[in-house]
Amino acid sequence: MKALGKLGLLSLLLLLLLSGFFTINKEENPRAVLAGIVHDLQENEWISSVFAEDKLDVLSEKSARGEAHRQAQQTLDVWSKAVGSQNPQQMNNIMESNGQEGMARRLVMAPISDVQVKLKGAGQLIQNGAERSLNDLKTEVKYRYRDGKKDEWYKVERSFDVRQTKQGTWKITNYTQIGSPALFEMGETKTKKTENFLFLYHDKNEDDMPVIMEETEQAYEEMGKRLKLKGNPPYPVLVYPEEHLWQGGHTVATASGQYFLNAAGYKVTNQFISLNFEALQGSSQDGSVYTTVKHEIVHLYQFPQLPPYVPVWLMEGMAMYYSNDDMSYVFDGDFGQRRLREIDLSRLTASERLGENGFGVSGRKQQQEYAFSHDTVRYIVERYGEDTLQKLVASYSNTPWFAIKDDIPSEGEHATYKWKKVTKRLTDNYLKKHLGIDEHELEERVKQWIADKNTN
């Protein structure tokens, strides 16, 4: 099977070379050029899907499937322009009336300025006389928020069916969400811009927005002063009207950011906050509910400052400490002390997220690990001072890229936490450098510190 795959790849490469699709400069190293071409072909998800189905003829100009694919891409390009330019007439022309009217109306009214669609699969070609359709076209849809950052694209995955009518025109007959929906797909999305945020919300939350916006802005200013950091606004804030829509569980807020890696290092883009209005409304009304919002805002400040290999307990512990999100009660009493003994700091360092090693009943494992992360950061501040904490954090940011290049994970790795190796190594080094103790001793000291507090 592997031999057939290689033969197919070489055949395709020869076909493209003979057709003039690629040209080789005689002064260049032919082996290097060919290696680069083969790499590009292997990385192309659509071509990979074609290989998987042994449909090499799709690349031919005379291939029915290849022609359908090109028409589908053109149709989706028209669709994306209609959404981005907010052209309802063009949207009606491109989307067939089969229950998609509501979706078309919401998309064309969406608070986004640009949309791009990239096919990620060749789809299934169905022919019925003069009619043709490509079904289940997996796509990557990228969009930019109006009034947001001009250089940041947000990505979602969607599926389309594209059908050619008897008249020869192509229309989108199905638009399906894959994964979490974007807020503007849920209904009447409205926007309000404040000094540091771009709020996107449902019409039903109009009366609630002034308080939400004011509290969020105050939390942002307060956390900036505590951290002594500057952010990179405006940040989108997605206010989901109902809990089941945002798929974040019964929590008030989450923060998101995306790391992009290259040979020079890393950068963070696509930062935003999601608010669960139902949980926000159902929580206490004394203002303490915004502790969670402050926690997530700390992450907004952290993302550009901290590389992807900072241990999760340090990032989450700092977010809890600076937002006064104290969960020390988790270790109170005899039962709490048993829970404390279950903590393994070394495992936390090797984890991508807290609680991933087993949530237990009602998130018990995650609750313990968040509480211990908070107490560990608090212990470092009280024992060594906040300056030492900041120096510890800065060590990760100041680590030269070349010093970890051998440990940088490849995109194909499927480990539980692909930065595990470099995170463990750096954490061992930096704890000894700034605290004078290793990870095991830090764990033992924090546990003793917590136990002493509970007996006093």
Side-chain angles (χ1 to χ4, degrees):
M1 195 69 184
K2 289 184 178 179
L4 288 175
K6 290 181 180 178
L7 179 60
L9 184 62
L10 289 173
S11 300
L12 174 63
L13 181 59
L14 180 60
L15 175 65
L16 293 174
L17 286 171
L18 292 174
S19 67
F21 191 86
F22 294 112
T23 59
I24 299 178
N25 189 325
K26 292 181 179 180
E27 296 180 359
E28 295 180 293
N29 184 334
R31 180 176 295 179
V33 173
L34 290 173
I37 293 172
V38 170
H39 177 269
D40 291 342
L41 291 173
Q42 290 173 333
E43 291 296 309
N44 187 295
E45 295 183 32
W46 175 66
I47 291 178
S48 296
S49 71
V50 173
F51 275 128
E53 300 172 19
D54 292 324
K55 299 286 188 178
L56 291 177
D57 64 332
V58 74
L59 296 176
S60 168
E61 288 291 334
K62 297 180 181 179
S63 163
R65 192 164 177 227
E67 177 60 26
H69 177 271
R70 284 184 284 276
Q71 292 291 341
Q73 182 65 71
Q74 291 175 12
T75 302
L76 293 173
D77 288 342
V78 174
W79 174 88
S80 61
K81 289 179 181 177
V83 176
S85 62
Q86 296 185 311
N87 189 327
Q89 183 60 49
Q90 194 173 32
M91 179 66 80
N92 289 335
N93 292 339
I94 203 69
M95 293 190 78
E96 200 165 58
S97 299
N98 62 342
Q100 298 275 295
E101 295 85 354
M103 178 62 72
R105 178 175 55 83
R106 292 197 294 272
L107 289 171
V108 83
M109 295 177 63
I112 51 182
S113 59
D114 297 283
V115 182
Q116 293 180 359
V117 180
K118 175 185 176 183
L119 289 176
K120 298 182 67 177
Q124 179 184 7
L125 176 63
I126 298 176
Q127 297 192 87
N128 183 16
E131 293 190 4
R132 290 185 295 171
S133 64
L134 273 171
N135 295 342
D136 195 28
L137 283 169
K138 299 296 188 299
T139 68
E140 174 188 86
V141 180
K142 298 199 304 183
Y143 58 92
R144 293 193 295 197
Y145 286 122
R146 191 168 59 248
D147 296 325
K149 296 185 180 73
K150 294 183 178 180
D151 61 341
E152 288 199 351
W153 292 86
Y154 296 81
K155 298 178 183 178
V156 293
E157 289 191 356
R158 297 295 180 259
S159 176
F160 294 85
D161 291 348
V162 180
R163 185 176 71 86
Q164 184 183 30
T165 65
K166 293 180 180 179
Q167 292 74 30
T169 58
W170 288 80
K171 289 198 172 186
I172 295 172
T173 62
N174 193 15
Y175 174 83
T176 308
Q177 299 166 356
I178 302 175
S180 300
L183 181 66
F184 55 74
E185 295 172 329
M186 297 176 185
E188 302 295 340
T189 303
K190 304 183 72 174
T191 61
K192 287 185 184 295
K193 190 175 182 181
T194 60
E195 183 177 356
N196 296 295
F197 297 101
L198 175 65
F199 289 86
L200 295 95
Y201 61 97
H202 194 277
D203 184 60
K204 66 172 65 176
N205 294 135
E206 182 70 53
D207 294 340
D208 307 292
M209 290 310 299
V211 172
I212 292 175
M213 292 188 296
E214 181 182 2
E215 293 283 356
T216 305
E217 279 287 350
Q218 288 180 0
Y220 181 79
E221 294 295 333
E222 180 183 341
M223 292 301 96
K225 290 177 181 177
R226 286 208 67 182
L227 292 164
K228 300 183 176 82
L229 293 174
K230 290 184 178 180
N232 184 27
Y235 300 101
V237 178
L238 314 182
V239 184
Y240 287 82
E242 299 172 21
E243 187 170 279
H244 73 277
L245 294 173
W246 88 315
Q247 302 178 358
H250 191 66
T251 55
V252 173
T254 60
S256 300
Q258 186 173 7
Y259 286 106
F260 285 92
L261 308 176
N262 56 38
Y266 69 92
K267 69 173 183 176
V268 178
T269 62
N270 298 358
Q271 292 180 254
F272 63 92
I273 285 182
S274 300
L275 295 182
N276 176 0
F277 177 76
E278 200 170 302
L280 194 69
Q281 189 179 43
S283 301
S284 62
Q285 300 300 309
D286 62 0
S288 62
V289 65
Y290 281 92
T291 296
T292 304
V293 177
K294 292 177 184 179
H295 177 119
E296 302 305 333
I297 286 175
V298 171
H299 287 319
L300 290 185
Y301 281 110
Q302 283 179 326
F303 284 140
Q305 311 291 330
L306 300 181
Y309 40 83
V310 171
V312 64
W313 61 262
L314 183 55
M315 290 193 74
E316 292 296 348
M318 289 177 64
M320 298 182 74
Y321 175 77
Y322 284 104
S323 64
N324 295 321
D325 190 6
D326 191 345
M327 294 175 59
S328 298
Y329 60 86
V330 169
F331 301 124
D332 287 348
D334 292 339
F335 179 65
Q337 290 302 296
R338 289 197 298 272
R339 299 178 73 177
L340 180 61
R341 288 192 290 271
E342 294 175 0
I343 295 293
D344 184 339
L345 185 60
S346 179
R347 291 184 67 181
L348 297 191
T349 300
S351 300
E352 184 176 18
R353 61 182 61 87
L354 296 177
E356 72 178 11
N357 294 313
F359 288 89
V361 180
S362 301
R364 182 176 73 89
K365 185 77 171 178
Q366 187 181 52
Q367 188 184 51
Q368 290 172 227
E369 293 180 355
Y370 268 95
F372 191 76
S373 297
H374 166 270
D375 284 352
T376 301
V377 170
R378 183 178 172 185
Y379 171 80
I380 292 173
V381 172
E382 293 191 8
R383 173 66 177 81
Y384 299 93
E386 190 170 353
D387 287 346
T388 299
L389 173 66
Q390 297 300 334
K391 289 177 182 177
L392 172 63
V393 171
S395 291
Y396 292 92
S397 304
N398 296 333
T399 300
W401 197 242
F402 68 81
I404 63 167
K405 61 181 179 63
D406 293 337
D407 293 334
I408 295 174
S410 65
E411 290 298 322
E413 290 189 38
H414 298 289
T416 303
Y417 174 45
K418 62 184 181 181
W419 287 99
K420 176 179 178 179
K421 184 177 180 180
V422 64
T423 301
K424 287 286 292 178
R425 177 166 63 84
L426 293 181
T427 300
D428 287 340
N429 292 339
Y430 294 147
L431 287 178
K432 292 174 184 176
K433 176 180 178 180
H434 297 288
L435 307 186
I437 55 177
D438 60 19
E439 192 173 54
H440 176 71
E441 190 169 356
L442 175 61
E443 176 188 325
E444 292 301 313
R445 290 189 182 188
V446 173
K447 287 181 175 179
Q448 186 61 53
W449 178 72
I450 294 171
D452 291 344
K453 287 196 303 179
N454 288 338
T455 56
N456 292 336

